[in-house]
Every structure is written in C-alpha cells, then in structure tokens.
C-alpha cells in the first residue's frame, strides 16, 4: 500500500456556522462551499479549501452521531481526525487487516463520495485516522 496525500483535517464543532465564521473572518479563508448532511455518517459537513488540502468541519447529526462523545469531552470542538488518500481502498484494508491497527467499522462512502474507513486512535498514537480512496481524476 502507498500512503497518499493528506486529503483533509477533520475538525469537530458544535456549530458549523460559527466555525465557518472563524476560518473566514479570522484566518481569511475563502469559504465557498455549502454545508451538507451525511446522515449515514451521523454528521453535517462543510469543507474549507486550502491550497493543498482541506479543513473538514463536522457537526453532529442525529442522536447516535460518532462525534457526540468527542464534543462532550471538547465542548468548543477541536481537531478530530486526519484523512489520507490511497489509490485502492480494498488493498489498503487488506494491508491494515494484516497488521496491528484496529479498523473501525465497514468501508463506507465518505464526504468526497469515495470509499473510506477509520483506524482506531489508540493504535495510531492518539490520532483518529481516516483512509479514503482518491477521487477518480476527471478525464
Ligand atoms: C465519514 C464522513 C467524513 C469523511 O471525511 O468522509 C468524516 O470524516 S466523519 C468523522 C466522524 N466519524 C467518525 O469519527 C467515525 C470513526 N470514529 C469512531 O468510530 C469513534 O469516534 C471512536 C471509536 C474513534 C471513538 O468513539 P467514542 O468517542 O464514542 O469512544 P470512546 O469515548 O470510548 O473513545 C475511545 C478512546 O479513543 C479516544 N478518542 C475518541 N475519539 C478520538 C479522536 N477523534 N481522536 C483521538 N482520540 C479519540 C477517547 O479519548 C478514548 O480514549 P481513552 O484514553 O480510552 O479515554
Ligand atoms: Co473525514
């Protein structure tokens, strides 16, 4: 498996609107994307583009959102996960299944419309790590 680029840094927030204002007004980010719901993943999402990556703002959606406990621990929100790209998600899953890192749940479709899975933070030095298949290059 070849580790690809850092696709995004996930930032959990109690309010996407409030976080968008922080990135736009304090950091001068151009926030051009609209928030959207990902009910299957229990989050509302808004991407903030940077020249070489993205900030993925995520807000809980639904009573069993996977980020609720994180926000109980961090009421102001905070850095939640890192996401790296791979060319083949099935090959990446095989790679991790043969190793010492716990994979969290099934491979599912993430916010970029490509398959993803997560690696347990306790096996990744305290960093919840998302692996996503690179979007196919438009021809
Ligand atoms: C998928 C759409 C989008 C995309 O990019 O496509 C997203 O990225 S959405 C992101 C939200 N979805 C997920 O995070 C799914 C994977 N996450 C999980 O399955 C859980 O959040 C899990 C298992 C990592 C933690 O769940 P929970 O907080 O309910 O469990 P615990 O409280 O028992 O935590 C266990 C242990 O892990 C530590 N922890 C929890 N979250 C994080 C984190 N984000 N970063 C680092 N460490 C984390 C927590 O403090 C506990 O440690 P302990 O020492 O035992 O207290
Ligand atoms: Co993510």
């Amino acid at each position: 498996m070849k580790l690809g680029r850092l696709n995004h840094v996930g930032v959990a927030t109690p309010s996407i609107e409030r976080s968008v204002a922080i990135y736009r007004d304090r950091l001068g980010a151009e926030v051009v994307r609209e928030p959207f719901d990902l009910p299957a993943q229990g989050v509302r999402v808004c991407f903030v583009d940077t020249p070489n990556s993205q900030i993925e703002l995520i807000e809980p959606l639904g009573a069993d959102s996977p980020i609720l406990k994180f926000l109980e621990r961090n009421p102001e929100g905070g850095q939640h996960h890192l996401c790296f790209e791979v060319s083949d998600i099935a090959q990446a899953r095989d790679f991790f299944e043969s190793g010492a890192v716990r994979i969290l749940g099934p491979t599912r479709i993430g916010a970029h419309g490509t398959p993803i899975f997560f690696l347990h933070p306790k096996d990744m030095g305290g960093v919840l790590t998302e692996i996503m298949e690179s979007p196919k290059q438009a021809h």
Side-chain angles (χ1 to χ4, degrees), residues 43-61:
V43 289
R44 186 165 177 251
V45 180
C46 185
F47 285 112
V48 177
D49 293 322
T50 69
N52 60 348
S53 189
Q54 288 177 313
I55 299 295
E56 179 186 76
L57 298 173
I58 49 176
E59 186 185 297
L61 183 67

mmCIF file of all heavy atoms in Angstrom, residues 43-61:
data_model
loop_
_atom_site.group_PDB
_atom_site.id
_atom_site.type_symbol
_atom_site.label_atom_id
_atom_site.label_comp_id
_atom_site.label_asym_id
_atom_site.label_seq_id
_atom_site.Cartn_x
_atom_site.Cartn_y
_atom_site.Cartn_z
ATOM 1 N N VAL A 43 -23.136 13.001 10.527
ATOM 2 C CA VAL A 43 -22.510 14.331 10.597
ATOM 3 C C VAL A 43 -23.057 15.264 9.529
ATOM 4 O O VAL A 43 -23.569 14.839 8.495
ATOM 5 C CB VAL A 43 -20.973 14.244 10.413
ATOM 6 C CG1 VAL A 43 -20.308 13.620 11.635
ATOM 7 C CG2 VAL A 43 -20.603 13.488 9.146
ATOM 8 N N ARG A 44 -22.967 16.546 9.840
ATOM 9 C CA ARG A 44 -23.155 17.615 8.847
ATOM 10 C C ARG A 44 -21.747 18.099 8.535
ATOM 11 O O ARG A 44 -20.910 18.171 9.441
ATOM 12 C CB ARG A 44 -24.011 18.715 9.458
ATOM 13 C CG ARG A 44 -24.419 19.810 8.510
ATOM 14 C CD ARG A 44 -25.561 20.655 9.107
ATOM 15 N NE ARG A 44 -25.914 21.769 8.236
ATOM 16 C CZ ARG A 44 -25.624 23.046 8.533
ATOM 17 N NH1 ARG A 44 -25.018 23.335 9.678
ATOM 18 N NH2 ARG A 44 -25.947 24.021 7.704
ATOM 19 N N VAL A 45 -21.470 18.401 7.272
ATOM 20 C CA VAL A 45 -20.092 18.646 6.825
ATOM 21 C C VAL A 45 -20.008 19.974 6.084
ATOM 22 O O VAL A 45 -20.928 20.360 5.371
ATOM 23 C CB VAL A 45 -19.644 17.513 5.858
ATOM 24 C CG1 VAL A 45 -18.214 17.733 5.373
ATOM 25 C CG2 VAL A 45 -19.769 16.146 6.524
ATOM 26 N N CYS A 46 -18.907 20.680 6.273
ATOM 27 C CA CYS A 46 -18.606 21.839 5.417
ATOM 28 C C CYS A 46 -17.093 21.867 5.178
ATOM 29 O O CYS A 46 -16.320 21.838 6.151
ATOM 30 C CB CYS A 46 -19.052 23.139 6.083
ATOM 31 S SG CYS A 46 -18.835 24.584 4.984
ATOM 32 N N PHE A 47 -16.692 21.873 3.901
ATOM 33 C CA PHE A 47 -15.266 21.897 3.580
ATOM 34 C C PHE A 47 -14.784 23.341 3.456
ATOM 35 O O PHE A 47 -15.447 24.181 2.855
ATOM 36 C CB PHE A 47 -14.998 21.157 2.249
ATOM 37 C CG PHE A 47 -15.085 19.663 2.372
ATOM 38 C CD1 PHE A 47 -16.105 18.955 1.757
ATOM 39 C CD2 PHE A 47 -14.153 18.963 3.130
ATOM 40 C CE1 PHE A 47 -16.198 17.577 1.882
ATOM 41 C CE2 PHE A 47 -14.233 17.585 3.265
ATOM 42 C CZ PHE A 47 -15.260 16.887 2.643
ATOM 43 N N VAL A 48 -13.609 23.586 4.039
ATOM 44 C CA VAL A 48 -12.910 24.862 3.856
ATOM 45 C C VAL A 48 -11.645 24.546 3.067
ATOM 46 O O VAL A 48 -10.788 23.782 3.551
ATOM 47 C CB VAL A 48 -12.556 25.499 5.222
ATOM 48 C CG1 VAL A 48 -11.766 26.801 5.024
ATOM 49 C CG2 VAL A 48 -13.824 25.750 6.049
ATOM 50 N N ASP A 49 -11.573 25.062 1.840
ATOM 51 C CA ASP A 49 -10.432 24.718 0.978
ATOM 52 C C ASP A 49 -9.179 25.487 1.387
ATOM 53 O O ASP A 49 -9.242 26.667 1.737
ATOM 54 C CB ASP A 49 -10.767 25.049 -0.489
ATOM 55 C CG ASP A 49 -11.875 24.150 -1.025
ATOM 56 O OD1 ASP A 49 -11.881 22.953 -0.678
ATOM 57 O OD2 ASP A 49 -12.753 24.653 -1.749
ATOM 58 N N THR A 50 -8.042 24.771 1.342
ATOM 59 C CA THR A 50 -6.744 25.461 1.471
ATOM 60 C C THR A 50 -5.986 25.104 0.188
ATOM 61 O O THR A 50 -6.396 24.203 -0.541
ATOM 62 C CB THR A 50 -5.962 24.960 2.713
ATOM 63 O OG1 THR A 50 -5.557 23.608 2.466
ATOM 64 C CG2 THR A 50 -6.845 25.016 3.961
ATOM 65 N N PRO A 51 -4.878 25.780 -0.083
ATOM 66 C CA PRO A 51 -4.194 25.499 -1.359
ATOM 67 C C PRO A 51 -3.830 24.022 -1.539
ATOM 68 O O PRO A 51 -3.869 23.504 -2.647
ATOM 69 C CB PRO A 51 -2.934 26.365 -1.285
ATOM 70 C CG PRO A 51 -3.310 27.494 -0.400
ATOM 71 C CD PRO A 51 -4.260 26.909 0.624
ATOM 72 N N ASN A 52 -3.500 23.317 -0.462
ATOM 73 C CA ASN A 52 -3.017 21.946 -0.698
ATOM 74 C C ASN A 52 -3.812 20.878 0.057
ATOM 75 O O ASN A 52 -3.439 19.726 0.091
ATOM 76 C CB ASN A 52 -1.547 21.843 -0.275
ATOM 77 C CG ASN A 52 -1.392 22.175 1.208
ATOM 78 O OD1 ASN A 52 -2.337 22.690 1.826
ATOM 79 N ND2 ASN A 52 -0.250 21.888 1.767
ATOM 80 N N SER A 53 -4.890 21.273 0.711
ATOM 81 C CA SER A 53 -5.697 20.295 1.455
ATOM 82 C C SER A 53 -7.049 20.930 1.780
ATOM 83 O O SER A 53 -7.492 21.854 1.083
ATOM 84 C CB SER A 53 -4.952 19.863 2.742
ATOM 85 O OG SER A 53 -5.617 18.777 3.349
ATOM 86 N N GLN A 54 -7.719 20.385 2.779
ATOM 87 C CA GLN A 54 -8.992 20.973 3.194
ATOM 88 C C GLN A 54 -9.124 20.839 4.701
ATOM 89 O O GLN A 54 -8.574 19.889 5.294
ATOM 90 C CB GLN A 54 -10.176 20.220 2.562
ATOM 91 C CG GLN A 54 -10.366 20.443 1.081
ATOM 92 C CD GLN A 54 -11.527 19.602 0.545
ATOM 93 O OE1 GLN A 54 -11.627 18.399 0.838
ATOM 94 N NE2 GLN A 54 -12.387 20.225 -0.236
ATOM 95 N N ILE A 55 -9.886 21.736 5.291
ATOM 96 C CA ILE A 55 -10.407 21.528 6.638
ATOM 97 C C ILE A 55 -11.809 20.961 6.449
ATOM 98 O O ILE A 55 -12.605 21.484 5.664
ATOM 99 C CB ILE A 55 -10.492 22.855 7.432
ATOM 100 C CG1 ILE A 55 -9.097 23.484 7.584
ATOM 101 C CG2 ILE A 55 -11.154 22.625 8.785
ATOM 102 C CD1 ILE A 55 -8.133 22.672 8.419
ATOM 103 N N GLU A 56 -12.089 19.871 7.110
ATOM 104 C CA GLU A 56 -13.442 19.278 7.051
ATOM 105 C C GLU A 56 -14.134 19.587 8.375
ATOM 106 O O GLU A 56 -13.849 18.928 9.398
ATOM 107 C CB GLU A 56 -13.352 17.777 6.833
ATOM 108 C CG GLU A 56 -14.708 17.082 6.781
ATOM 109 C CD GLU A 56 -14.570 15.581 6.713
ATOM 110 O OE1 GLU A 56 -14.262 14.952 7.752
ATOM 111 O OE2 GLU A 56 -14.760 15.016 5.622
ATOM 112 N N LEU A 57 -14.999 20.584 8.363
ATOM 113 C CA LEU A 57 -15.769 20.915 9.567
ATOM 114 C C LEU A 57 -16.910 19.911 9.694
ATOM 115 O O LEU A 57 -17.629 19.667 8.717
ATOM 116 C CB LEU A 57 -16.320 22.337 9.474
ATOM 117 C CG LEU A 57 -15.294 23.467 9.385
ATOM 118 C CD1 LEU A 57 -15.994 24.803 9.131
ATOM 119 C CD2 LEU A 57 -14.462 23.527 10.667
ATOM 120 N N ILE A 58 -17.026 19.281 10.865
ATOM 121 C CA ILE A 58 -18.098 18.290 11.065
ATOM 122 C C ILE A 58 -18.867 18.616 12.339
ATOM 123 O O ILE A 58 -18.290 18.889 13.391
ATOM 124 C CB ILE A 58 -17.533 16.841 11.126
ATOM 125 C CG1 ILE A 58 -16.351 16.729 12.079
ATOM 126 C CG2 ILE A 58 -17.174 16.350 9.736
ATOM 127 C CD1 ILE A 58 -15.818 15.302 12.258
ATOM 128 N N GLU A 59 -20.178 18.568 12.195
ATOM 129 C CA GLU A 59 -21.110 18.875 13.291
ATOM 130 C C GLU A 59 -21.965 17.628 13.500
ATOM 131 O O GLU A 59 -22.293 16.949 12.518
ATOM 132 C CB GLU A 59 -21.975 20.064 12.843
ATOM 133 C CG GLU A 59 -22.910 20.647 13.845
ATOM 134 C CD GLU A 59 -23.783 21.740 13.210
ATOM 135 O OE1 GLU A 59 -23.228 22.764 12.769
ATOM 136 O OE2 GLU A 59 -24.993 21.519 13.113
ATOM 137 N N PRO A 60 -22.324 17.291 14.750
ATOM 138 C CA PRO A 60 -23.128 16.080 14.952
ATOM 139 C C PRO A 60 -24.467 16.166 14.226
ATOM 140 O O PRO A 60 -25.087 17.225 14.185
ATOM 141 C CB PRO A 60 -23.358 16.040 16.467
ATOM 142 C CG PRO A 60 -22.309 16.917 17.048
ATOM 143 C CD PRO A 60 -22.015 17.967 16.025
ATOM 144 N N LEU A 61 -24.895 15.023 13.669
ATOM 145 C CA LEU A 61 -26.204 14.936 13.005
ATOM 146 C C LEU A 61 -26.875 13.669 13.534
ATOM 147 O O LEU A 61 -26.395 12.562 13.289
ATOM 148 C CB LEU A 61 -26.025 14.857 11.486
ATOM 149 C CG LEU A 61 -27.301 14.841 10.635
ATOM 150 C CD1 LEU A 61 -28.028 16.182 10.739
ATOM 151 C CD2 LEU A 61 -26.969 14.536 9.178
#
